[in-house]
Amino acid sequence: MLKQEIIENMEKIVSECMGEENPACVTTCPMHTNVKEYIRLLREGKGEEALLTVREKLFLPGTLGRICAHPCEGKCKINEISSPMSIAGLKRYIADNFDKEELWNLEKEEKNGKKVAVIGAGPSGLQSALDLIRKGYEVVVFEKLPVKGGMMAVGIPEYRLPRDILAHEISYLEKLGVEFKMNCEIGKDISMKEIVDNFDSVIIAVGKHKGRVGTDIISNSIYSAGDFLRMASLEREKLSLGERVLVIGGGDVAMDCARTSRRIKGVKEVFSACLENSFDEMTASKHEVKGAYDEGINFCHGQGIKEIIMSEDNKIKEVKLKKCLSLFDENKNFSPVYDENQITDLKVDTIIFAIGQAVDGDFAKDYLSQRRNSTFECDPATLQSKDNEKIFITGDASGESVIVIQAMATGRRAAESVDRYLQKKDLLEGRKIEDTKSYDTKLVREVNWEDVKERRLEINELDPEERIKSFMEVSKGYTKEQAQYEADRCRQCECRLCMKECMMLKNFTSCPKELFRNYLEKGYQEMDKMIAFSCNECSQCTIKCPKDLDLKSNFIEMRKEYIKDNGNKQVIESFIDADRIQRMECSREYCTTLIHEKKPKYVFVPGCTIPAYKPELVEKVYAHLKEVLGDDVTAMLRCCGKVTKMIGQSDDFVLRNKIALDEIEKTGADTIITICPSCFVTFEQTVTDKKVISYWDLMREKIGMPKEIIGKGKGSKVVFNVHDSCVTRNVSSHHENVRWIIEQLGYEYEEMNNIKENTRCCGVGGMVCNSNPELYKEIYTRRANDCTQDSVISYCGSCRGTLEAAGKDSLHILDLMFGDTYNESTFEKRSYSSEEEMWEHRSETKIRLEKLK
């Protein structure tokens, strides 16, 4: 059974790992369109695949590419230092260039015999209808207007959204079988009672078409924004605005009204008056304000209506504007303050009020109650009416919708609620309401700003002087080259930094969150044992993790448990041989402890790998120590037990390590000198009353290098890389002092990639060389590719051998110190050729040390 602390660590990983977190562009979108994926596909030249990815969530890609308020762009990571991705612009490009009817998914479930009525053919109603028709429901949409699309068709001007684009995309619903009853007003052409009685469920999806005006004057020259834009869409030829138009309001709708007015026949001048005192304070989108400005709209900032003077024939004669001094009181409540003496007189023929709109809910007054803001009372999570359980509210009518994409999200949520209701399921159980709402991502993403192309490409537009002459679409959209440039700016935000670094994890999971969720749900006993036994124990996953999550400890502990569960017998067959070698490395035949009569201060422990590699190097290190320290140093040749620990045999490790510690105790020394990084770490972790120091640090700090070898490398043409051991990645003195030794020797070195505290494992870590040879080869090949030179220096015997296996001219630092001057890269194979030779070297090392006693 795993320790509770390991279980808690796994739970922490599942809770905090960001591997499955979506980027802000996805979470901010109420429909959670997979922005990252469709941009990736686009820049890889996979346009149709990108289109299909968009259509997984959105049936109006061309429409939304043009008119979506794109809240995702405001949260784009590169917006922190540069302009954000043109997410909507790329969506439009994909739709305009790759959308084909043959790609539309017409699959739907078998009819289930239930009928749903949708009142309103705006974005929320259309989304509800789409989701329900695909689930097998018969869907009828009732629409008061003669056109489908709601405010998209009669509220958004054609110069922003061509009507043929909208109509074509909505035709998808008709292909699926949605029935539309147009010019059908509830309460006039059909009663609400008839709909409620004849349908199994009803979705109310009416928008805010009821406009507000800021005066009691009734005149054909005064419009609400909704009425004006609807007429401009459906009956433009009937509009007569005169020469001068005043639009009141500072939002996007006001900009639509001003720019639309500028295009109406006979209009010569348009004024836009708002209470805000500057462009920056206006609530309208910056691109909408710029569009209006470019088209010659006259802005009157900080102005509100004081008086409208009418002529005898009920025409506007003059408007007096008063200066707005402030908009909000000390509690930040809207409470404008005016200077009644600062007056501006304007001669205008028409006034359009863009100061807000409301839902006209009179048709349902006998069934539903409305809030003070005109929206219907409903459950905010399920959107079920609080007055009638079979009625669901969506879009503007629910009180949640503000923009088109948000309205669509409420439509999707209402459709799911209707489905659950009609299937007699709980409306909330097991449901993620956030799937149809914007939310803040938990993803912490560091961007390599050097790779970011500074500015987004703005989409080309028609010349302002030409575009005001008609309702032709202003935006031309991206060219292929522009779309490619813009797509290349995307940073493809995700975490998974550990996955990009760890070659083992990529073989077993998509991210740690998924992996350890499986461990917790299934139990480690039911998981593939090779996962735990393929960990390098190099800690790179934790180093890369922004949350510093510890994965290594879990794998180490599971190795132990697998062996305990197997009656303390090894479960990985290839490790049985590793254990045999460990037993021999701890046997009397290959071990020795030099005991002096005088108690020495130091004991030199050369480890296992270098004695098996080159006995003469061990001899020369000890000779140097004896020369400087005399009788104050002795030696012990014995394994510290690290390999036994790595292969999960914890009980055996304790025994073998204790033998080594007992032998050290016999020497009477209080400082252990190591040349093996694994020995250094192992003794530091297991020795409580002695100091552990590397030979490299001892030379730099106390005894110096052998004088006869200083400068021996001067004149050598070889330039080395230095590979740092991952075992001592946090021991900076080892990194610096090995480099100091190379400099003292007179050799040249160049830093390779991923060094010091960020070094990569050579592949031996965790004894993956035995448990997973294929992975081992992948790891050492990658590490060899980090090199910038042919020759590489290591100060770990195992690392040296692995880099040699990877094809590098691989030397140990002791080779440089005590071998001949190295003049050229020879790619000489230095490792022993057989196990028999390895043991011969160990025996020889023992003999050489004992001779120096």
Side-chain angles (χ1 to χ4, degrees):
M1 179 180 291
L2 292 175
K3 296 176 182 177
Q4 183 60 31
E5 63 194 65
I6 296 297
I7 298 295
E8 290 173 357
N9 188 45
M10 289 185 180
E11 292 172 342
K12 177 181 173 68
I13 293 169
V14 172
S15 172
E16 298 183 15
C17 173
M18 299 183 292
E20 293 180 346
E21 295 297 328
N22 284 315
C25 56
V26 176
T27 64
T28 305
C29 174
M31 291 290 282
H32 305 305
T33 318
N34 196 343
V35 175
K36 184 180 79 170
E37 179 67 5
Y38 76 66
I39 291 179
R40 181 188 69 81
L41 290 167
L42 177 62
R43 72 184 187 186
E44 291 178 0
K46 301 174 182 176
E48 286 193 2
E49 292 92 331
L51 183 279
L52 292 172
T53 300
V54 176
R55 277 194 164 271
E56 286 176 4
K57 298 286 185 177
L58 307 175
F59 73 98
L60 297 168
T63 297
L64 289 167
R66 288 167 166 82
I67 57 90
C68 185
H70 46 70
C72 51
E73 292 186 14
K75 296 286 187 178
C76 178
K77 184 69 178 175
I78 59 176
N79 196 32
E80 293 179 10
I81 68 156
S82 181
S83 49
M85 289 290 305
S86 180
I87 295 171
L90 289 175
K91 188 187 295 110
R92 172 186 168 173
Y93 174 80
I94 291 169
D96 287 355
N97 289 276
F98 302 103
D99 199 9
K100 307 170 189 173
E101 288 189 24
E102 53 263 37
L103 295 176
W104 293 0
N105 181 9
L106 299 179
E107 293 181 2
K108 55 183 181 178
E109 297 176 17
E110 291 185 14
K111 289 185 177 181
N112 55 32
K114 296 186 182 296
K115 296 172 60 179
V116 179
V118 177
I119 300 175
S124 67
L126 293 173
Q127 187 67 57
S128 292
L130 170 61
D131 288 358
L132 289 168
I133 195 78
R134 295 187 67 178
K135 284 181 176 290
Y137 294 93
E138 182 181 342
V139 182
V140 181
V141 178
F142 296 87
E143 174 54 60
K144 179 180 178 180
L145 294 169
V147 292
K148 307 177 187 73
M151 291 298 285
M152 294 186 295
V154 299
I156 296 173
E158 288 177 68
Y159 63 80
R160 289 178 56 203
L161 176 58
R163 297 301 182 247
D164 60 330
I165 298 290
L166 178 63
H168 178 66
E169 293 190 324
I170 293 176
S171 70
Y172 173 47
L173 276 71
E174 295 173 294
K175 291 181 183 296
L176 282 167
V178 174
E179 180 182 354
F180 287 90
K181 292 187 178 294
M182 308 305 294
N183 293 301
C184 184
E185 184 175 352
I186 311 302
K188 179 180 177 182
D189 300 301
I190 186 173
S191 69
M192 184 68 179
K193 182 179 187 305
E194 188 176 349
I195 291 177
V196 173
D197 290 347
N198 291 323
F199 288 85
D200 296 291
S201 185
V202 179
I203 292 177
I204 292 182
V206 292
K208 290 185 175 180
H209 290 260
K210 187 176 180 181
R212 290 176 53 208
V213 293
T215 179
D216 294 330
I217 298 172
I218 299 175
S219 170
N220 290 335
S221 300
I222 298 175
Y223 295 88
S224 71
D227 289 342
F228 169 71
L229 291 171
R230 184 164 54 253
M231 285 193 69
S233 293
L234 302 177
E235 304 175 284
R236 189 157 58 239
E237 68 281 355
K238 295 182 180 181
L239 277 174
S240 179
L241 304 180
E243 293 185 352
R244 295 160 65 87
V245 176
L246 172 63
V247 177
I248 304 296
D252 283 339
V253 175
M255 297 303 100
D256 284 342
C257 290
R259 297 177 70 184
T260 298
S261 299
R262 191 72 180 86
R263 289 164 167 77
I264 299 299
K265 186 177 180 180
V267 174
K268 294 182 178 179
E269 198 166 14
V270 178
F271 299 89
S272 176
C274 61
L275 299 181
E276 295 88 354
N277 278 289
S278 69
F279 288 116
D280 288 339
E281 293 177 21
M282 292 174 65
T283 59
S285 305
K286 295 294 183 285
H287 65 277
E288 288 297 322
V289 174
K290 183 181 184 300
Y293 182 85
D294 290 344
E295 291 172 8
I297 307 303
N298 300 300
F299 285 89
C300 305
H301 289 117
Q303 301 287 333
I305 289 183
K306 178 179 176 65
E307 184 182 3
I308 301 173
I309 301 173
M310 305 296 292
S311 65
E312 291 182 358
D313 58 353
N314 203 32
K315 300 292 184 181
I316 300 170
K317 185 176 181 181
E318 186 180 55
V319 176
K320 292 184 179 293
L321 301 177
K322 55 187 176 181
K323 180 65 178 176
C324 180
L325 301 177
S326 63
L327 283 173
F328 303 98
D329 61 20
E330 62 275 8
N331 296 317
K332 297 185 178 181
N333 296 316
F334 182 70
S335 180
V337 175
Y338 300 95
D339 183 344
E340 302 287 343
N341 296 316
Q342 283 194 56
I343 304 299
T344 300
D345 295 329
L346 279 181
K347 296 284 187 182
V348 298
D349 302 301
T350 300
I351 301 175
I352 303 168
F353 284 92
I355 56 174
Q357 294 177 218
V359 173
D360 186 353
D362 287 348
F363 69 91
K365 61 185 178 182
D366 294 334
Y367 288 86
L368 305 174
S369 56
Q370 284 185 275
R371 306 182 182 101
R372 290 182 63 187
N373 67 357
S374 83
T375 61
F376 294 106
E377 292 281 357
C378 62
D379 183 279
T382 65
L383 302 179
Q384 187 176 45
S385 166
K386 293 189 176 181
D387 300 301
N388 188 315
E389 67 173 12
K390 72 186 295 185
I391 298 177
F392 295 80
I393 319 297
T394 187
D396 287 337
S398 71
E400 185 175 320
S401 169
V402 176
I403 58 176
V404 171
I405 193 77
Q406 192 172 351
M408 293 172 67
T410 62
R412 171 152 287 172
R413 194 185 327 152
E416 183 177 351
S417 292
V418 167
D419 181 47
R420 285 171 174 254
Y421 169 73
L422 294 179
Q423 299 302 323
K424 302 188 184 309
K425 296 179 181 178
D426 189 281
L427 265 60
L428 284 173
E429 186 178 354
R431 185 176 178 182
K432 293 181 178 180
I433 299 299
E434 64 269 21
D435 285 348
T436 52
K437 284 189 173 186
S438 294
Y439 62 90
D440 290 332
T441 181
K442 295 179 181 178
L443 179 63
V444 177
R445 171 77 164 101
E446 292 299 324
V447 172
N448 181 359
W449 299 119
E450 294 179 359
D451 292 342
V452 177
K453 294 176 181 176
E454 285 192 10
R455 303 298 303 174
R456 70 193 261 165
L457 281 180
E458 297 302 332
I459 299 174
N460 294 332
E461 296 182 340
L462 292 176
D463 181 83
E465 291 187 7
E466 290 298 316
R467 71 198 194 203
I468 61 174
K469 296 176 182 179
S470 72
F471 279 81
M472 285 183 61
E473 186 174 13
V474 169
S475 173
K476 295 181 178 181
Y478 281 133
T479 64
K480 180 179 180 180
E481 293 73 23
Q482 290 171 330
Q484 186 68 49
Y485 172 95
E486 188 61 25
D488 286 342
R489 294 179 70 235
C490 178
R491 296 300 89 202
Q492 290 290 294
C493 295
E494 64 177 0
C495 186
R496 306 197 187 201
L497 297 173
C498 58
M499 301 297 299
K500 294 172 183 176
E501 177 62 32
C502 179
M503 306 187 85
M504 177 278 274
L505 285 173
K506 287 186 286 190
N507 289 340
F508 296 104
T509 187
S510 66
C511 73
K513 188 183 193 81
E514 177 198 55
L515 178 63
F516 288 103
R517 182 170 58 233
N518 287 336
Y519 271 116
L520 290 171
E521 291 174 356
K522 299 177 182 179
Y524 75 94
Q525 302 94 331
E526 302 303 316
M527 298 288 284
D528 184 355
K529 294 181 177 63
M530 280 305 298
I531 300 175
F533 285 98
S534 294
C535 173
N536 276 121
E537 301 180 18
C538 67
S539 298
Q540 272 286 4
C541 52
T542 302
I543 291 170
K544 299 297 183 185
C545 177
K547 301 290 187 73
D548 297 324
L549 296 175
D550 174 18
L551 280 59
K552 177 178 75 173
S553 295
N554 297 339
F555 296 129
I556 291 174
E557 195 62 30
M558 281 189 280
R559 290 186 179 199
K560 298 176 184 177
E561 292 304 314
Y562 284 130
I563 291 171
K564 286 181 182 178
D565 294 344
N566 195 41
N568 285 324
K569 294 179 181 178
Q570 183 55 249
V571 295
I572 302 298
E573 185 175 348
S574 57
F575 279 169
I576 295 174
D577 193 53
D579 182 57
R580 174 186 64 81
I581 292 173
Q582 277 277 279
R583 285 199 305 273
M584 293 179 69
E585 287 173 334
C586 295
S587 67
R588 288 185 178 182
E589 184 179 356
Y590 299 105
C591 298
T592 186
T593 303
L594 308 183
I595 305 297
H596 294 175
E597 292 183 9
K598 178 187 174 183
K599 181 179 177 181
K601 177 177 178 59
Y602 300 96
V603 56
F604 169 49
V605 181
C608 301
T609 313
I610 298 302
Y613 169 54
K614 287 185 179 178
E616 65 270 22
L617 295 181
V618 177
E619 179 185 30
K620 289 178 179 180
V621 172
Y622 190 44
H624 174 225
L625 293 172
K626 293 286 286 181
E627 179 185 351
V628 178
L629 301 173
D631 290 340
D632 219 12
V633 64
T634 188
M636 179 194 76
L637 177 63
R638 180 176 290 276
C639 181
C640 67
K642 175 66 183 291
V643 170
T644 308
K645 184 178 183 181
M646 285 194 290
I647 64 178
Q649 296 172 204
S650 53
D651 290 347
D652 290 337
F653 166 71
V654 171
L655 292 173
R656 290 168 183 170
N657 179 252
K658 186 177 185 306
I659 294 172
L661 297 183
D662 287 346
E663 290 298 304
I664 291 172
E665 193 64 37
K666 288 179 184 178
T667 68
D670 59 17
T671 301
I672 302 170
I673 303 170
T674 65
I675 54 174
C676 170
S678 289
C679 287
F680 178 87
V681 172
T682 300
F683 287 130
E684 271 212 327
Q685 293 173 344
T686 57
V687 174
T688 57
D689 60 344
K690 301 183 190 305
K691 179 181 178 180
V692 184
I693 188 170
S694 71
Y695 179 48
W696 337 119
D697 289 1
L698 184 67
M699 280 192 286
R700 180 80 179 272
E701 296 171 11
K702 186 177 179 65
I703 66 174
M705 288 175 56
K707 293 179 181 178
E708 65 274 14
I709 68 173
I710 294 176
K712 67 183 293 186
K714 288 182 179 179
S716 172
K717 296 180 180 180
V718 179
V719 179
F720 295 98
N721 283 148
V722 181
H723 163 75
D724 295 295
S725 169
C726 65
V727 179
T728 52
R729 66 167 71 254
N730 295 319
V731 188
S732 59
S733 62
H734 290 198
H735 314 151
E736 302 307 324
N737 290 339
V738 166
R739 287 161 175 79
W740 170 80
I741 292 170
I742 297 173
E743 291 167 0
Q744 291 292 302
L745 290 170
Y747 289 105
E748 296 289 328
Y749 70 91
E750 177 181 277
E751 297 293 9
M752 63 190 290
N753 298 312
N754 301 297
I755 58 171
K756 299 180 180 179
E757 67 273 9
N758 293 314
T759 191
R760 282 173 165 165
C761 179
C762 68
V764 173
M767 292 302 290
V768 174
C769 50
N770 287 70
S771 62
N772 197 333
E774 290 184 7
L775 176 61
Y776 170 56
K777 185 175 181 179
E778 290 178 29
I779 294 170
Y780 73 56
T781 300
R782 180 182 66 174
R783 186 52 176 158
N785 289 336
D786 280 339
C787 294
T788 61
Q789 296 291 333
D790 293 330
S791 299
V792 58
I793 296 298
S794 304
Y795 45 98
C796 167
S798 295
C799 292
R800 190 218 62 79
T802 296
L803 289 170
E804 180 179 270
K808 304 307 293 184
D809 179 37
S810 182
L811 297 89
H812 194 277
I813 184 65
L814 295 176
D815 285 319
L816 284 193
M817 289 179 63
F818 298 115
D820 295 334
T821 298
Y822 200 72
N823 287 311
E824 60 181 278
S825 178
T826 60
F827 292 93
E828 172 191 348
K829 188 178 186 301
R830 300 177 176 86
S831 298
Y832 44 80
S833 57
S834 65
E835 184 179 330
E836 181 181 3
E837 186 178 358
M838 176 183 78
W839 295 120
E840 288 175 357
H841 288 176
R842 278 296 298 265
S843 295
E844 184 180 342
T845 301
K846 177 180 178 182
I847 293 169
R848 290 186 182 224
L849 284 176
E850 289 177 340
K851 282 183 178 179
L852 290 174
K853 179 179 177 181

